[in-house]
């Protein structure tokens, strides 16, 4: 059974890229969100196996959203997608409960490698 | 590693990046008026997004420039007072440069050079933060447009070497065994500090961490010699648990885990080169989807919208045809068919309305660009101008909006360039130093009215008339007959010449003829009101949609043609022989004026039907005033779907489109002013 993924990023461009990467890895992208608010709602609705979360987003940041999702579901697997130079933000996100992170620009194999590890399938 | 092929994302990149850049510009404009933290934060987000996308696409120039904008915006976040005029100008320039670069990228052309601009930005950032700019990582990617991005440090691969050295159970009263753990961050990791932090967090979830080396603060700062982290972990999870935990962390090798005493140096197992590396780059090719779902709204390709409109138009024509055919049926069969056709017509009309509403776009798409243009023009010309825009949320058909963008911009430019006087002239005239330009949009039944009004120097009707006569575009007689309102329209005649003429005589620049033509081509009208010394107002009356027009069908000779009913001002009747003449031109009286008569059949070069007695005359506008058009017969009115002409018919002066009547007969729709001018 393919693992279910929720993709969160405010840029359609990024979401598409990420979706394609997951598709190539045999995952099933079951939902998308464009900001922290939607992310929390979609998570509730979809209960994905894995969530990729952008950090800088309008309305609610990825960090806030991570915090709220973890509150709902302590086992949520959330991978932060950050840009270089956002170290402290990523660490905040890790504090808030993020499981791992990837740094943009990222390549498909790196993303999938991180995902495999985080899901314990290495 | 082979570069990734990002070509299929180009379209999306361009449209999203452009949106972000537009928003960036808008925030900047608003910021100039009032500095708020929210706006600066929003600007940061937009620059950040552009940077991220550009770097994924391998567009180094764009990524670096966006990065610099991001840095600059970031450096004034803490203290908005730092946002000086120079910084704002630099940001404007950067936004423009980024837009140009994105355009170039979409056309597959190399980005215009921005080194000077980058230097300016670097200087600003350095002076505000004291830091040199950080490098911008860019994906090694290929887009159909040749943009070989230079090789950048590859993103970290998931190397894990892990050795777990067992820990001798501590002779302590505690239940939980303690293990000495050593972990190494892969040298390819781009953010060792964060990676280390994550390791610390994960291990902390297993138990209590002691003797962390380097200390946590050093770890977070990325100061990790050789990437080595050592600690002691008090945990019930056992070596297996620790190994499992570290195995699940990317970019990290577990070097040793063992019971507290000295670590055994076990040879690190060969890094399992991730089989995923063999997966290579891009996702399987998928046909580009025509729609993307974003929340509850949908992005639709504009070609699809045009297709819908066309298809619905065809549906309406086909329905009209069926109705016509039905009329020829024997009486008993007619009612059921008519009912059915009536229902069909209602459904198609409804569908048409829905499609049209999808095409409706608020005028703000155009007017949003005006403030920026106004700012630039007034700065360049050293005029103080205040631009107000109201009603921009009112919507018009996409196609009309597309055609209106340049004309509106042109009217604005004219108002500032030629309408508003320089400050000293305004002072002399006892006007406020700041000129006012007002753009107002409102609905008026089935029209949208757009007004562009300024409080500048106004237009001189007399001078306009004289100039037109001097240029031979008008006879002195005709000029004398013109009302002031008609005289102002002379400014729209092609050939308003040199710059010296312009401000003095017409009060407007060249290009007004293009504006008028554009407005009329969408089925609208342009009116000019002006008072010398007080100001000028341009009024554009636009239909909501282009596609369906109400036509007056007339016969001229053997030809049937359509005239937009909106353009027919009046219908007169007279006996052609009995008309008075001025030289060769017959004249017909209308109200208090005498209008020149043109015979439509002659204009169309078709043999006129010889007739005597009374015939209809249509009063219509031309470039040089009202005229009366003699036709043979009025055939009635019909609501039709206008179809554009293609090559070479679109080059024929005077034809504005074609349609098919219910009878199945195709007819031309005329543009009378163009026809007369030809």
């Amino acid at each position: 059974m393919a693992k279910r993924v929720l993709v969160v990023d405010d840029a359609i461009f990024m979401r598409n890229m990420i979706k394609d990467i997951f598709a190539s890895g045999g995952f099933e992208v079951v939902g998308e969100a464009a900001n922290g608010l939607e992310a929390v709602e979609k998570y509730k609705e979809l209960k994905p196996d894995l969530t990729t979360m952008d950090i800088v987003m309008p309305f609610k940041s990825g960090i806030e959203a991570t915090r709220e999702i973890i509150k709902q579901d302590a086992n949520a697997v959330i991978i932060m997608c950050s840009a270089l130079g956002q170290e402290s933000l990523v660490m905040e996100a890790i504090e808030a409960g993020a499981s791992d992170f990837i740094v943009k620009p990222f390549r498909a194999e790196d993303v999938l490698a991180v995902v495999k590890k985080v899901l314990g399938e290495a | 590693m082979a570069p990734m092929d990002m070509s299929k994302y180009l379209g999306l990149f361009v449209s999203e990046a452009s949106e972000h850049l537009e928003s960036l510009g808008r925030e900047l404009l608003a910021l100039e008026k009032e500095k708020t933290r929210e706006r600066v934060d929003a600007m940061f987000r937009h620059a950040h997004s552009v940077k991220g996308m550009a770097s994924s696409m391998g567009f180094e120039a764009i990524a670096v420039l966006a990065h610099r904008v991001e840095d600059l915006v970031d450096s004034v976040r803490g203290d908005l007072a730092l946002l000086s005029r120079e910084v704002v100008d630099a940001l404007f320039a950067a936004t423009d440069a980024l837009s140009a670069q994105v355009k170039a990228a979409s056309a597959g052309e190399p980005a215009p050079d921005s080194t000077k601009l980058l230097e300016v930005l670097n200087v600003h950032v350095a002076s505000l933060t004291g830091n040199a700019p950080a490098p911008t990582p860019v994906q090694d990617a290929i887009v159909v447009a040749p943009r070989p991005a230079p090789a950048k440090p590859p993103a970290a691969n998931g190397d894990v070497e892990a050795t777990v050295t067992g820990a001798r159970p501590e002779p302590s009263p505690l239940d939980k065994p303690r293990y000495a753990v050593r972990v190494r961050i892969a040298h390819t990791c781009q953010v060792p500090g964060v990676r280390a932090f994550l390791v610390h967090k994960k291990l902390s979830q297993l138990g209590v961490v002691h003797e962390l080396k380097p200390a946590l603060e050093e770890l977070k700062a990325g100061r990790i010699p050789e990437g080595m982290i050592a600690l002691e972990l008090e945990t019930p999870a056992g070596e297996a648990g620790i190994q499992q935990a570290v195995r699940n962390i990317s970019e990290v090798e577990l070097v040793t885990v063992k019971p507290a005493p000295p670590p055994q140096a076990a040879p690190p197992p060969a890094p399992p080169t991730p089989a995923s590396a063999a997966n290579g780059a891009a996702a399987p090719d998928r046909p580009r989807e025509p729609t993307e779902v974003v929340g509850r709204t949908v992005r639709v390709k504009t070609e699809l919208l045009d297709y819908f409109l066309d298809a619905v138009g065809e549906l309406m024509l086909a329905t009209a045809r069926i109705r016509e055919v039905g009329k020829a049926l024997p009486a008993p069969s007619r009612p059921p068919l008519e009912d059915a056709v009536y229902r069909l017509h209602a459904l198609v009309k409804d569908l048409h309305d829905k499609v049209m509403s999808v095409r409706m776009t608020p005028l703000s798409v155009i007017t949003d660009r005006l403030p920026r243009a106004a700012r630039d023009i007034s700065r360049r010309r050293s005029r103080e101008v205040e631009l107000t825009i109201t009603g921009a949320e009112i919507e018009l058909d996409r196609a009309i909006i597309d055609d209106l963008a340049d004309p509106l911009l042109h009217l604005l430019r004219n108002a500032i360039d030629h309408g508003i006087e320089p400050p000293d002239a305004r002072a002399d005239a006892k006007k406020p130093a700041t000129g006012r330009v007002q753009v107002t949009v409102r609905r008026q039944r089935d029209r949208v009215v757009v007004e562009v009004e300024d409080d500048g120097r106004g237009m001189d009707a007399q001078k306009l008339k004289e100039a037109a006569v001097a240029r031979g575009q008008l006879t002195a007689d005709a000029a004398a007959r013109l009302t002031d309102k008609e005289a102002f329209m002379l400014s729209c005649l092609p050939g308003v010449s040199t710059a010296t003429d312009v401000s003095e005589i017409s009060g407007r620049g060249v290009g007004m003829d293009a504006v008028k033509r554009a407005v009329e081509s969408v089925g609208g009208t342009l009116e000019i009101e002006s008072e010398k010394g007080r100001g000028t107002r341009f009024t554009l009356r636009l239909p909501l949609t282009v596609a369906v027009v109400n036509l007056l069908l007339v016969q001229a000779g053997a030809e049937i043609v359509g005239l937009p009913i909106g353009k027919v001002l009046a219908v007169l009747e007279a006996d052609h022989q009995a008309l008075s003449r001025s030289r060769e031109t017959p004249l017909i009286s209308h109200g208090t004026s005498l209008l020149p008569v043109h015979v439509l059949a002659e204009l169309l070069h078709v043999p006129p039907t010889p007739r005597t007695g009374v015939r209809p005359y249509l009063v219509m506008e031309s470039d040089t005033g009202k005229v009366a058009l003699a036709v043979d017969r009025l055939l009635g009115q019909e609501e039709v779907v206008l179809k554009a002409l293609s090559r070479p018919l679109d080059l024929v002066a005077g034809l504005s489109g074609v349609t098919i009547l219910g009878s199945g007969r195709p007819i031309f729709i005329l543009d009378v002013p163009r026809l007369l001018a030809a």
Side-chain angles (χ1 to χ4, degrees):
Chain A
M1 260 264 308
K3 291 280 185 243
R4 300 161 67 248
V5 184
L6 169 64
V7 176
V8 181
D9 193 303
D10 61 340
I12 301 184
F13 168 84
M14 288 308 300
R15 292 203 301 272
N16 274 20
M17 247 189 51
I18 298 175
K19 285 196 299 186
D20 286 351
I21 292 178
F22 277 108
S24 77
F27 291 84
E28 188 195 342
V29 176
V30 295
E32 303 176 37
N35 58 62
L37 276 177
E38 281 183 32
V40 176
E41 277 173 37
K42 287 278 156 125
Y43 188 90
K44 249 197 286 236
E45 184 194 318
L46 298 166
K47 301 261 188 298
D49 297 308
L50 167 75
T51 306
T52 66
M53 183 82 76
D54 186 20
I55 296 190
V56 177
M57 290 188 291
F59 304 131
K60 189 176 286 214
S61 73
I63 299 175
E64 260 312 301
T66 298
R67 195 164 288 137
E68 287 181 36
I69 292 177
I70 297 281
K71 221 168 25 187
Q72 284 176 36
D73 177 1
N75 294 327
V77 177
I78 302 182
I79 300 187
M80 309 305 294
C81 303
S82 83
L84 268 193
Q86 295 182 310
E87 280 86 62
S88 52
L89 289 176
V90 181
M91 290 197 268
E92 246 187 85
I94 293 175
E95 276 292 347
S99 318
D100 211 311
F101 65 94
I102 40 183
V103 178
K104 300 185 223 183
F106 38 72
R107 306 177 52 88
E109 53 261 41
D110 304 324
V111 175
L112 293 175
V114 168
V115 167
K116 282 203 165 75
K117 282 204 171 269
V118 128
L119 290 177
E121 293 157 11
Chain B
M1 289 193 228
M4 276 180 77
D5 183 358
M6 301 293 285
S7 315
K8 64 178 175 170
Y9 298 109
L10 183 59
L12 214 42
F13 164 76
V14 170
S15 76
E16 278 208 73
S18 305
E19 273 183 33
H20 279 295
L21 290 173
E22 264 174 62
S23 300
L24 190 56
R26 270 203 298 276
E27 295 290 345
L28 206 43
L29 267 174
L31 205 64
E32 260 195 316
K33 301 214 172 68
E34 194 198 341
K35 299 190 179 137
T36 67
R37 181 62 196 260
E38 288 77 38
R39 292 194 178 123
V40 176
D41 286 343
M43 283 175 53
F44 179 87
R45 281 200 301 273
H46 290 304
H48 178 83
S49 298
V50 174
K51 178 187 84 173
M53 290 192 275
S55 92
S56 296
M57 293 293 291
F59 294 144
E60 188 185 359
I62 303 181
V64 170
L65 188 50
H67 191 176
R68 218 47 75 233
V69 171
E70 196 191 71
D71 287 342
L72 189 49
V73 172
D74 200 29
S75 61
V76 302
R77 265 213 261 220
D79 180 3
L80 297 180
L82 292 170
L83 204 55
S84 65
R85 200 158 209 210
E86 290 75 34
V87 170
V88 173
D89 281 345
L91 288 171
F92 267 123
T95 309
D96 287 343
L98 282 167
S99 296
Q101 287 174 327
V102 168
K103 259 210 191 69
S106 86
E109 286 158 14
D113 179 55
S114 51
T115 31
K116 272 224 174 54
L117 182 56
L118 273 173
E119 277 167 26
V120 170
L121 292 171
N122 286 347
V123 164
H124 279 301
V125 174
S127 71
L128 286 170
T129 65
N131 291 339
T136 314
V138 175
Q139 179 91 286
D140 189 13
I142 285 188
V143 182
V144 171
R147 286 279 311 144
K152 290 287 170 182
N157 50 23
D159 252 30
V160 170
E161 317 164 296
T163 55
V164 176
T165 46
R168 206 179 11 212
E170 278 229 310
S172 87
L174 298 169
D175 274 340
K176 299 191 201 102
R178 200 153 151 148
Y179 300 86
V181 179
R182 281 173 26 128
V183 159
R184 175 161 43 222
I185 312 269
H187 66 279
T188 47
C189 175
Q190 292 180 282
V191 280
V194 186
R195 198 36 82 190
F197 184 75
L198 186 63
V199 169
H200 179 257
K201 177 111 198 287
K202 298 263 166 153
L203 292 178
S204 309
Q205 284 168 345
L206 291 178
V208 182
V209 172
H210 301 282
E211 314 277 315
L212 180 61
K213 289 189 186 48
L216 190 57
E217 284 316 305
E218 300 294 292
L219 273 192
K220 285 164 74 166
R223 286 192 282 273
I224 313 172
E226 317 255 307
M228 286 296 292
I229 305 177
L231 55 93
E232 290 195 5
L233 185 59
E234 202 184 301
T235 174
E239 281 177 34
I242 298 177
Q243 279 170 322
Q244 176 66 39
V246 177
R247 223 191 341 260
N248 288 357
I249 309 178
S250 305
E251 306 188 286
V252 144
E253 332 165 2
L254 180 53
V255 176
T256 56
V257 121
K258 60 186 186 186
Q264 283 168 6
T273 313
S276 52
N279 274 353
D285 253 44
R286 272 203 321 223
R288 193 98 76 101
E289 293 171 50
T291 62
E292 299 292 345
V293 178
V294 178
R296 289 192 191 89
T297 56
V298 177
R299 264 179 196 259
V300 177
K301 286 209 152 116
T302 52
E303 292 90 68
L304 213 49
L305 281 186
D306 287 339
Y307 167 76
F308 280 142
L309 187 62
D310 230 26
V312 171
E314 291 289 344
L315 267 178
M316 288 187 82
L317 289 175
T319 311
R321 180 92 188 96
I322 296 179
R323 188 197 269 121
E324 274 301 312
V325 168
K327 288 190 188 143
L329 290 179
S333 335
R334 265 191 255 146
L337 181 68
E338 273 168 13
D339 280 346
V341 170
Y342 184 77
R343 171 121 181 88
L344 179 61
H345 178 81
L347 288 171
V348 172
K349 193 96 209 306
D350 185 52
L351 183 60
H352 177 265
D353 289 344
K354 290 290 185 303
V355 169
M356 292 314 296
S357 74
V358 170
R359 289 173 55 98
M360 296 300 264
T361 317
L363 227 92
S364 53
V365 173
I366 308 177
T367 57
D368 279 355
R369 297 188 229 161
L370 297 182
R372 175 70 199 279
R375 176 198 184 271
D376 288 345
I377 302 171
S378 44
R379 288 255 271 174
R380 243 201 333 263
R381 312 277 278 153
S382 312
R383 307 265 158 91
E384 285 296 317
V385 171
E386 185 198 317
L387 172 67
T388 44
I389 305 179
T390 46
E393 67 279 0
I394 293 182
E395 297 182 336
L396 287 170
D397 184 86
R398 243 179 38 78
I400 302 186
I401 297 269
D402 285 345
D403 288 339
L404 270 192
D406 285 340
L408 264 185
L409 196 57
H410 198 80
L411 286 178
L412 175 71
R413 179 167 286 126
N414 274 349
I416 301 179
D417 259 350
H418 303 290
I420 306 284
E421 317 93 320
D424 40 348
R426 283 184 74 85
D428 287 345
K430 307 236 183 337
K431 290 184 184 176
T434 307
R436 265 186 33 246
V437 176
Q438 222 163 315
V439 176
T440 328
V441 186
R442 60 174 198 282
R443 275 285 295 269
Q444 210 175 53
R445 283 176 299 169
D446 67 337
R447 302 258 128 182
V448 167
V449 179
V450 179
E451 288 171 353
V452 179
E453 185 173 345
D454 65 74
D455 65 349
R457 56 164 65 90
M459 295 165 75
D460 187 329
Q462 193 52 37
K463 285 227 176 85
L464 279 167
K465 289 186 197 181
E466 287 166 11
V469 171
R471 274 196 303 271
Q473 290 171 318
L474 207 59
T475 64
D477 283 348
R481 277 201 298 274
L482 292 179
T483 61
D484 275 2
K485 203 162 176 185
E486 290 165 336
F488 295 138
M489 293 306 287
L490 291 175
S491 66
C492 300
L493 284 180
V496 172
S497 47
T498 68
T500 45
D501 279 11
V502 148
S503 295
E504 243 197 55
I505 292 175
S506 72
R508 291 297 125 155
V510 300
M512 283 304 299
D513 59 330
V515 171
K516 179 154 179 279
R517 237 201 322 272
V519 170
E520 287 174 352
S521 77
V522 299
T525 57
L526 175 65
E527 277 165 35
I528 310 179
E529 288 158 87
S530 183
E531 199 181 320
K532 194 164 161 193
R534 293 280 301 275
T536 307
R537 175 166 55 215
F538 290 88
T539 306
L540 289 74
R541 263 174 242 284
L542 306 163
L544 291 170
T545 68
V546 260
V548 173
V549 272
N550 227 334
L551 285 187
L552 177 63
L553 299 176
V554 301
Q555 187 163 10
E559 276 299 318
I560 300 182
V561 288
L563 301 166
I565 282 207
K567 302 284 178 65
V568 178
L569 304 171
V571 178
L572 309 170
E573 275 191 336
D575 182 334
H576 201 72
Q577 311 306 109
L579 292 179
S580 42
R581 268 141 222 276
S582 159
R583 284 173 232 163
E584 286 306 312
T585 316
L587 299 172
I588 192 169
S589 80
H590 174 58
T592 53
S593 16
L594 281 174
L595 308 181
V597 170
H598 298 268
V599 179
L600 187 55
E602 284 170 16
L603 290 174
L604 296 176
H605 302 291
V606 295
T609 325
R611 51 181 305 159
T612 54
V614 159
R615 75 203 314 193
Y617 292 80
L618 305 176
V619 177
M620 304 188 71
E621 286 286 354
S622 80
D623 284 344
T624 49
K626 293 201 182 71
V627 299
L629 216 56
V631 300
D632 292 337
R633 259 191 341 155
L634 296 181
L635 297 172
Q637 193 178 328
E638 195 163 320
E639 200 185 58
V640 300
V641 176
L642 184 77
K643 291 200 154 286
L645 292 163
S646 48
R647 283 288 132 105
L649 289 174
D650 61 340
L651 297 173
V652 177
L655 301 180
S656 71
V658 67
T659 187
I660 304 181
L661 298 179
S663 62
R665 177 179 180 150
I667 60 161
F668 284 115
I669 299 167
L670 299 184
D671 176 342
V672 170
R674 287 283 90 65
L675 190 61
L676 289 168

